[in-house]
Amino acid sequence: MTPPVMLASRLAWRQLTHQPARLASAVAGVVFACLLVFMQLGFHDALFDSATSTARAIRGDIIIFSRQSETTSRTSGLPRARLMQALADPDVARVTPVYLGQVIWKNPETAVRRSIMVLGADPDSGIFALEGVSAAAERLRQRDTLLFDAQSRPEYGPIGERLARGATTVEVANRTTEVVGLFRLGASFAADGNLLTSDVNFHRLVRDRTPDMVDVGAVFLKAGADVNAVQSRLAGLLPDDIRVMPRDAFIASERAYWANSAAIGFIFLFGVAMGLVVGFVIVYQILFTDVATHLSEYATLKAMGYTDRYLLAVVFSEALMLAALGFVPGLALSWWLFGISAEATFLPMLLRPDMAASVFALIFAMCAASGAVAVRKLRDANPADMF
Amino acid sequence: MTHAIEIKGLGHWFGTGELRRQILFDVDLTIAPGEIVILTGPSGSGKTTLLTLIGALRAVEQGSLTLFGRELHGASDNDRIAVRRRIGFIFQQHNLLGFLTARQNVEMALELDPAIDATERRNLATAMLAAVGLGERLDHPPAKLSGGQKQRVAVARALVGNPALVLADEPTASLDKVTGHEVATLIERLARERGASILLVTHDPRILGIADRIVAMEDGRIVDAAEHRHS
Ligand SMILES: Nc1ncnc2c1ncn2[C@@H]1O[C@H](COP(=O)(O)OP(=O)(O)OP(=O)(O)O)[C@@H](O)[C@H]1O
Ligand SMILES: [Mg+2]
């Protein structure tokens, strides 16, 4: 004995596959909706990931910064002495000052000048959660040396290629400096490119800043210390114009800054909604025509003793089959487009499993909603009007 | 159960408020198991309305309508759906599902019965289509069948579940005279083999001969029910 749901979905499948061209156009609609949603979410996440990339590059258990700093791309300094006060707490192992600034970089090939972000910290502190940085510590301690972000925008010049040729000299902030290696951080809203150097070299490049004004302080705790307990102790210890946050909260606040201040989140949500609306309309059209053109057949089934629920199951099965049929190629196409977009924009376009899962849920909901609206037409299938 | 259908004092209205109009007046009608009754009468006399009431497609408003011993006056929607499963319906249009083959269409009538498994459904549908002369066209979609063949598939679909009652409303109206007669005699033969009662509405004088009894309607009333009784 076959359960009625199986029979209903088999009927749905037969109806869907009866006209392959129509099925193809319905599936294409769902694929298109998938693509739109994936791309919007992809750019959204990529922009926010890149916006928080600087924050995420900084290690530490607790981050200290000025209350006036809304984002790492525009910081107000805090006195280094305040940072050192944190060492008074018995659970604090060490404290590292991080300096952030913008300098002018001259493209070594075209001589075009462009602003670039520079990060500075004690090379031995292991403060940067970035590959290749600790290995370069020795060289960064030399005068006027720096690392170049290989994921900077190409406008800064083909630095990687030049390094391979041994051409390492560049002009930064009107100083002749040497690129001693590469790291990977990525372009963001605030910075088209990044440099990384020692605290000493940072102050050679950024003249208007003194070492006793720090941008961000990273606090490392002793093993087994309770982050939240130390955080509240430090917050009590330090004056009110200084913020003390666990690292996760710091990254979240950086993300929130861009999400709220730039209306960017809304733009992408709008894009996602448009994708879903387009998909909804296409699927609805298909399902509605299926019901509308087969009203007398559906009414006949009702006369034969089929229940409304059975017919609802048929239409919903169709909707969900379209969702599944469209999602798979939609996912594959998006995967491919993510790669292309990442190359074009230098943004970290990542199609993560959790994103795929939420898109699947959205597409599923979209198709189910189309089904729910289309089945209202089933009410018009009145078997009493059949004779 | 002495009667397949027993109707007493049935009345029916259409419309609401000012437009409310009585269509059926005090209808009495009894049909015995296995009896074949043809219902005739002028257009608008209420034949189809009566048929939809008997077919449990509409709720009974006034009077008593008993089908296989079950009172339909006051029956719930679910009760009416259950009753419909024991009736074979044949419409003026074949109303076959275009995306199913002839056999799949016939099987639709059996899928409602959980006691019948897939193999049995297939066998019954195949046998039924052979019985209506379409044994060679089992896997044809309706689009590849002639009008008469489609109506035969519809007949097979109506009868494959061994209904106790077959309700047909002008089943030959969309067919030419010869084909119409063939389909009518086919309905008669299959129903008699199975002992099913038939109530068939028609304007077609050529098929009156299949009936045990002819009932005429006029202005929502049954007139001279016994007059055309065949021997
Ligand atoms: N759904 C409805 N709503 C309102 N009035 C209806 C409805 N169905 C039928 N009627 C009216 O009821 C009357 C009887 O209609 P019915 O269809 O039963 O006649 P009939 O005998 O089957 O006619 P025909 O031979 O033309 O099919 C007609 O006057 C018709 O206009
Ligand atoms: Mg009629």
Side-chain angles (χ1 to χ4, degrees), chain A residues 1-2 7-8 10-12 14-16 18 294 296-308 310 382-387, chain B residues 48 51-52 57-58 81 84-85 89-91 95-100 104-105 107-109 111-112 114 117-118 121 157 167-169:
Chain A
M1 174 195 150
T2 330
L7 292 173
R10 191 180 64 182
L11 194 64
R14 286 173 174 170
Q15 173 149 16
L16 274 182
H18 177 58
H294 295 104
S296 52
E297 286 89 338
Y298 278 118
T300 306
L301 291 178
K302 282 196 196 176
M304 285 160 64
Y306 280 90
T307 56
D308 285 338
Y310 187 96
N382 182 0
D385 297 335
M386 290 305 303
F387 282 125
Chain B
T48 297
L51 213 64
T52 56
L57 300 172
R58 292 186 196 282
I81 289 173
R84 297 212 286 262
R85 295 184 181 181
F89 290 94
I90 305 170
F91 305 94
N95 293 336
L96 298 175
L97 292 164
F99 56 89
L100 298 182
Q104 288 167 347
N105 265 293
E107 283 185 43
M108 285 301 292
E111 287 183 5
L112 286 163
D117 68 20
R121 273 203 301 268
R157 179 174 64 179
L167 295 177
D169 197 353

Side-chain angles (χ1 to χ4, degrees), chain A residues 3 7 11 16 86 115-116 135 144 174 184 188 196 207 214 223 245 250 287 292 301 330 336 343 357:
Chain A
L7 292 173
L11 194 64
L16 274 182
S115 156
I116 193 165
D144 286 326
N174 293 321
R184 301 175 78 81
S188 68
L196 193 148
R207 283 313 184 76
V214 174
M245 278 187 178
F250 170 66
L287 295 179
L301 291 178
W336 177 68
E343 275 176 38

Side-chain angles (χ1 to χ4, degrees), chain A residues 382 384-385 387, chain B residues 13-15 19 21-24 39-52 58 92 169-170 201-203 217 220:
Chain A
N382 182 0
D385 297 335
F387 282 125
Chain B
W13 286 259
F14 276 127
L19 298 171
R21 203 157 58 88
Q22 189 163 7
I23 300 299
L24 294 182
L39 186 62
T40 60
S43 185
S45 56
K47 307 182 293 297
T48 297
T49 308
L50 179 59
L51 213 64
T52 56
R58 292 186 196 282
Q92 184 171 338
D169 197 353
E170 306 187 36
V201 172
T202 188
H203 290 291
M217 274 191 91

